[in-house]
């Protein structure tokens, strides 16, 4: 009798656990495809079993894990620029800073060289602690203009569930984003539960310096890696050394096409998600002009995730503490 | 009574567990310092408690985790050079290859530029799979000249125990070596239980290429990072984004001084080991001319580990399988 009760309890717990998988995802083909994929690669008896050490998952950040309207790091860059101009007003007379400062509402489109210059100017010259403090200051003040909450509360709830689900099934989960690695590291553990060593992003070349008898690593203004488009496989290979068997990105710039192809074209079973921003009401509706990301998704068999149709809710409103100490 | 038996069992198991910690390390000040440090940082009641996500440990590889007499990757480089000369005999007429080929027993000392050229020539031009296959071929054939076992069996037994001990206590364990990252990745999981994403080493710049409709990452002959001396803090910050609270290196070239300083000069409690090769009988006896590594160890309070006095046994003779498939 006792055994029977224990067995019944175990079975009902298993059923509850199953029913609870990805609760914010609406039932449908995409949710089922994700669950089916995970169950297949963790099943030792399946011909598509994948060993835990090869269960690598990579997620783009802006537009895949949190809102990119506006892009959070661009908002940080504007704040840094403002601080820098207060200290050195001459900066506001120089291009491309002048145009940026003049057009507050809709800043001019910069070419890649100008963008890299603004990136280097606002992100370089600090050591790792000083930069982290600057980023923390931003996250403590800034709010999302439409949602009116700190940016740390703009993560997508369904994606947080997906990260947890993969981790529970012994996946190593990484961010693979065009954003600056050190910028994301400041909040990625608190928001996503992803540790600093699992963040792959764009980086500036560092160098070791000695100050007051102590070593630290300082950010130079030279680009180390632009982790976007064809840079993503490079970043993944450099930091992980394995192809992801699960990869997620989103439409906007085509920045994740090579990321998802690199996953799909590996030797192991794999699944890719391309998130489509088609929900103007709850989030934002946008796509790239040439429709390239969606076309590639169809060509390669990636799952197109519709925010409107696949997600029961969009934003995690969970409060996230950004500590002030080092 | 039942409770008493369970309690007794628990206590005796704890005692057994304690007695089993680092069994190949001889009892003494250094072994006690390691255990005391770990027990302190995992104890939530201790003022020196460190959260699991900050328990980062970094180990140099050559001379710290396995034998570096001869340096394994230099032996691989010689094998690659031989293969390349067989395909292109003209290479043997060009310097620095000519001198290398002429002096088989004691190759000439190359300057850094020549070394980098040989490194790039023998390590570049392949994609990630091709390079891994080449390294696997080496490990399946080559043997340590003195020990007469495959190089995969030349890991230090006390260090394997130390890695396991740290992992059991929720440390994230990384290799931080001057060796090539992709070279080490081929065997590090099998030998040390350290996954490919936890290997920080010297790297060549990669680029994404498309061949037969598939993307892969190919190794160019341009240096990405020389992960030695002042390059080690850069490699650590780039890949982990946190300072290690436990770091181990060895005497020979001063290559680990900045590595250990970067750990020691962090904000959290930390411990550093400097391994001294003083055991000509069981391993090798060597030091750098200016004694810099040992001097720095004394200056900064790093533990100097004597292979002769601190290790009851040196080599793990455990057989390691190097798989042939991709």
């Amino acid at each position: 009798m006792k055994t029977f009760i224990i067995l019944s309890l175990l079975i009902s717990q298993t059923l509850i656990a199953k029913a609870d998988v990805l609760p914010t995802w609406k039932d449908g083909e995409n949710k089922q495809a994700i669950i089916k994929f995970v169950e297949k690669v963790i099943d030792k008896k399946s011909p598509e079993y994948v060993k835990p050490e090869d269960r690598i998952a990579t997620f783009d950040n802006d537009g895949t894990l949190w809102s990119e309207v506006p892009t959070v790091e661009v908002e940080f860059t504007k704040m840094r620029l403002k601080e820098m101009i207060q200290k050195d007003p001459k900066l506001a007379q120089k291009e491309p800073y002048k145009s940026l400062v003049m057009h507050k509402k809709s800043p001019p489109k910069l070419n890649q060289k100008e963008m890299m210059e603004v990136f280097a100017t606002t992100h370089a010259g600090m050591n790792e602690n000083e930069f982290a403090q600057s980023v923390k200051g931003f996250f403590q003040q800034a709010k999302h203009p439409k949602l009116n909450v700190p940016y740390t509360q703009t993560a997508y709830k369904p994606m947080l569930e997906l990260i947890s689900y993969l981790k529970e099934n012994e996946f190593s989960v990484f961010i693979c984003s065009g954003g600056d690695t050190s910028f994301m590291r400041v909040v990625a553990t608190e928001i996503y539960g992803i540790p600093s060593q699992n963040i792959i992003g764009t980086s500036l070349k560092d160098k070791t310096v000695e100050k007051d008898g102590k070593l630290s690593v300082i950010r130079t203004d030279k680009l180390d890696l632009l982790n976007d488009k064809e840079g993503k496989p490079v970043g993944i290979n450099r930091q992980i050394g394995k192809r992801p068997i699960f990869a997620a990105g989103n439409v906007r710039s085509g920045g994740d096409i090579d990321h998802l192809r690199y996953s799909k074209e590996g030797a192991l079973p794999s699944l890719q998600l391309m998130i489509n921003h088609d929900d103007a009401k709850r989030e934002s509706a946008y796509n790239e002009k040439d429709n390239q990301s969606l076309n590639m998704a169809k060509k390669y068999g990636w799952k197109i995730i519709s925010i409107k149709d696949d997600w029961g809710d969009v934003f995690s409103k969970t409060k996230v503490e950004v500590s002030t100490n080092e």
Side-chain angles (χ1 to χ4, degrees), chain A:
Chain A
M1 184 60 188
K2 209 175 166 188
T3 314
F4 174 74
I5 294 170
I6 291 171
L7 266 176
S8 308
L9 272 170
L10 276 173
I11 290 164
S12 64
Q13 276 178 340
T14 311
L15 288 174
I16 291 165
K18 279 237 173 171
D20 271 343
V21 162
L22 307 176
T24 307
W25 288 72
K26 287 189 199 163
D27 273 325
E29 203 202 306
N30 284 331
K31 177 173 176 167
Q32 286 316 312
I34 295 170
I35 295 173
K36 217 172 140 181
F37 172 74
V38 171
E39 291 187 342
K40 170 179 89 179
V41 299
I42 64 168
D43 177 5
K44 281 195 179 167
K45 287 180 211 136
S46 156
E48 301 195 73
Y49 173 72
V50 176
K51 286 180 289 180
E53 64 259 36
D54 292 328
R55 292 183 206 151
I56 305 291
T58 48
F59 290 83
D60 175 54
N61 188 32
D62 300 311
T64 296
L65 294 182
W66 71 0
S67 171
E68 63 178 347
V69 183
T71 312
V72 185
E73 196 175 341
V74 171
E75 297 306 297
F76 165 74
T77 304
K78 287 200 238 162
M79 181 207 80
R80 278 282 304 152
L81 208 51
K82 234 165 99 181
E83 285 174 1
M84 291 177 83
I85 287 170
Q86 271 178 349
K87 281 186 195 161
D88 173 19
K90 275 183 218 151
L91 195 63
Q93 306 306 317
K94 266 173 65 183
E95 287 299 355
Y97 310 100
K98 192 175 168 183
S99 314
L100 281 174
V101 175
M102 303 269 284
H103 301 77
K104 279 177 188 171
K105 282 284 164 197
S106 71
K109 250 203 148 5
L110 304 180
N111 64 36
Q112 176 141 357
K113 203 182 147 230
E114 290 168 328
M115 258 166 45
M116 286 315 303
E117 192 190 320
V118 174
F119 172 62
T121 304
T122 51
H123 286 62
M126 291 166 271
N127 73 27
E128 68 271 52
N129 281 336
E130 291 159 353
F131 183 70
Q133 289 308 318
S134 167
V135 176
K136 282 176 184 176
F138 165 76
F139 278 109
Q140 281 158 352
Q141 293 167 29
K143 283 192 171 180
H144 189 283
K146 205 171 132 189
L147 301 167
N148 200 34
V149 295
Y151 285 105
T152 47
Q153 293 178 41
T154 65
Y156 301 135
K157 198 176 174 191
M159 296 307 272
L160 295 182
E161 289 171 5
L162 180 53
I163 290 172
S164 297
Y165 175 55
L166 292 172
K167 282 168 74 178
E168 280 159 22
N169 287 292
E170 293 180 83
F171 278 72
S172 297
V173 176
F174 291 80
I175 288 178
C176 177
S177 162
D180 178 79
T181 307
S182 305
F183 179 80
M184 292 184 280
R185 276 176 173 162
V186 174
V187 289
T189 306
E190 283 78 0
I191 300 178
Y192 308 121
I194 296 179
S196 64
Q197 63 263 37
N198 285 20
I199 314 291
I200 305 168
T202 292
S203 51
L204 293 168
K205 270 194 189 305
D206 286 332
K207 70 174 184 204
T208 302
V209 293
E210 178 160 2
K211 203 184 156 187
D212 305 328
K214 288 193 173 186
L215 295 186
S216 68
V217 166
I218 203 157
R219 298 163 65 82
T220 75
D221 59 3
K222 299 234 167 11
L223 182 69
D224 178 43
L225 172 69
L226 180 59
N227 194 59
D228 195 32
K229 296 184 173 149
E230 70 274 16
K232 288 202 175 188
V234 171
I236 290 170
N237 185 55
R238 185 166 91 169
Q239 194 142 336
I240 310 177
K242 286 176 179 173
R243 293 191 188 226
I245 67 163
F246 190 104
N250 66 283
V251 302
R252 186 177 206 180
S253 63
D256 283 306
I257 293 173
D258 284 359
H259 172 199
L260 270 55
R261 280 189 64 187
Y262 192 61
S263 166
K264 176 79 180 180
E265 293 164 3
L268 297 172
S270 65
L271 187 75
Q272 293 76 30
L273 311 183
M274 179 59 82
I275 292 167
N276 192 18
H277 289 269
D278 58 359
D279 192 335
K281 209 175 148 199
R282 296 187 302 173
E283 204 247 355
S284 289
Y286 54 87
N287 196 351
E288 59 240 45
K289 278 179 197 146
D290 58 5
N291 239 21
Q292 190 72 343
S293 293
L294 292 179
N295 291 342
M296 288 292 141
K298 280 168 204 156
K299 178 178 172 186
Y300 289 106
W302 307 331
K303 301 293 167 195
I304 297 172
I305 305 299
S306 157
I307 293 186
K308 185 159 55 75
D309 299 330
D310 285 310
W311 292 358
D313 193 3
V314 178
F315 294 105
S316 157
K317 286 119 196 162
T318 316
K319 278 202 183 164
V320 174
E321 283 296 325
V322 180
S323 64
T324 40
N325 52 357
E326 286 177 16

